[in-house]
Amino acid sequence: MSNKGPYLLDDASDAPFPPAELALREPDGLLAVGGDLSPVRLLNAYAGGVFPWFSEGQPLLWWSPDPRMVFRTDGVHLSSRFRRELRASPWRIRADTAFSDVMRACAQAPRPGQDGTWITDDMHRAYVALHQLGYAHSVEVFDGEALVGGIYGVAIGRMFFGESMFSGRSGGSKVALAALAHTLHDWGWPLIDTQVENPHLMRMGAEHLPRPDFLRRIRELVQQPADVGAWTGRFGELSAAFLAETTTT
């Protein structure tokens, strides 16, 4: 790839991505264009530190920004005030029981300064296919039968690549993220990728990793053994009140 534009991907779904180190500086992290959203292409992308991000009507664009924003799984913070509220909350948290619903809620969630969504119908179909294969997962927050928050992303080895989250009620996404981090930490997974800088995530403890450090870490983590398949049974069910006692301020 030259420094004048992104790499044009081969039509073959299993064709390798260029090294993420070749991503452009402007726009930050743009690496490649084209290809498809097949499971093999998506898994190769994430394993190499690359993710798709494009709007309706654009070609497929693939990114690896520098620096990368991540959470340590023992580093998600909830404020003292919010934790006090959660102690009396009836909310329950489960995994992989409403993946498609979480994606649709994320697509419909308003984003300040953003017109529309990158979670197109094609993206929805692609990640549902990954979910059915056991690589894409959702963590869902329920109040009774009502879905009030959630997060979804892709798991390879012992690395979780977060894609999006939403709040149907105030704090729903925070609870989903805290539950995901708590569980992954218990499983020995050290990091959650959150892609690009976001002030809300920074307040919850997200950190910057220079791209070389991020790539070095994930290339080790995606090779580590981990079960592939639905997380519903393994994750179990957590309460918001439990998270209030186990999550740091």
Side-chain angles (χ1 to χ4, degrees):
M1 184 182 72
S2 74
N3 59 8
K4 296 182 180 180
Y7 183 93
L8 180 62
L9 290 180
D10 191 279
D11 289 339
S13 293
D14 60 353
F17 277 82
E21 291 88 347
L22 298 179
L24 300 178
R25 291 186 178 275
E26 183 59 42
D28 178 32
L30 181 59
L31 175 68
V33 61
D36 58 22
L37 293 171
S38 65
V40 66
R41 179 96 68 179
L42 286 170
L43 292 174
N44 284 340
Y46 283 102
V50 180
F51 60 87
W53 187 27
F54 59 97
S55 299
E56 193 75 59
Q58 289 184 323
L60 272 67
L61 303 175
W62 302 86
W63 303 80
S64 185
D66 186 16
R68 196 67 160 245
M69 179 160 281
V70 300
F71 279 101
R72 290 179 292 104
T73 54
D74 62 351
V76 173
H77 307 316
L78 300 177
S79 70
S80 297
R81 179 179 178 180
F82 186 52
R83 290 171 67 201
R84 286 194 297 271
E85 294 172 1
L86 291 182
R87 291 189 182 105
S89 172
W91 291 358
R92 311 292 294 183
I93 306 100
R94 300 188 283 271
D96 286 345
T97 67
F99 182 87
S100 182
D101 292 338
V102 168
M103 275 204 75
R104 293 199 185 282
C106 288
Q108 295 165 5
R111 313 282 176 181
Q114 180 177 305
D115 183 19
T117 179
W118 74 97
I119 306 174
T120 63
D121 288 343
D122 286 344
M123 289 280 274
H124 186 270
R125 285 189 291 269
Y127 284 83
V128 167
L130 269 189
H131 172 65
Q132 292 169 343
L133 291 171
Y135 290 100
H137 302 280
S138 59
V139 172
E140 308 115 11
V141 184
F142 290 94
D143 184 354
E145 297 301 313
L147 182 64
V148 299
I151 186 171
Y152 78 94
V154 176
I156 306 175
R158 294 190 180 184
M159 181 66 202
F160 189 86
F161 300 90
E163 269 296 310
S164 187
M165 58 186 187
F166 83 98
S167 290
R169 295 183 194 165
S170 179
S173 63
K174 293 180 183 179
V175 170
L177 176 60
L180 172 66
H182 171 83
T183 300
L184 293 182
H185 184 64
D186 277 356
W187 293 352
W189 298 34
L191 293 177
I192 298 171
D193 172 37
T194 62
Q195 299 180 347
V196 296
E197 183 168 346
N198 177 308
H200 170 64
L201 298 181
M202 292 286 286
R203 290 191 293 272
M204 292 185 67
E207 305 173 3
H208 290 120
L209 263 187
R211 185 167 57 214
D213 295 342
F214 175 78
L215 295 175
R216 175 177 51 79
R217 293 295 307 278
I218 69 162
R219 285 166 179 166
E220 296 170 355
L221 291 168
V222 299
Q223 296 299 323
Q224 295 185 14
D227 293 337
V228 174
W231 282 359
T232 308
R234 186 181 180 195
F235 188 97
E237 183 173 282
L238 301 176
S239 69
F242 170 78
L243 290 174
E245 302 302 328
T246 58
T247 305
T248 60
T249 57

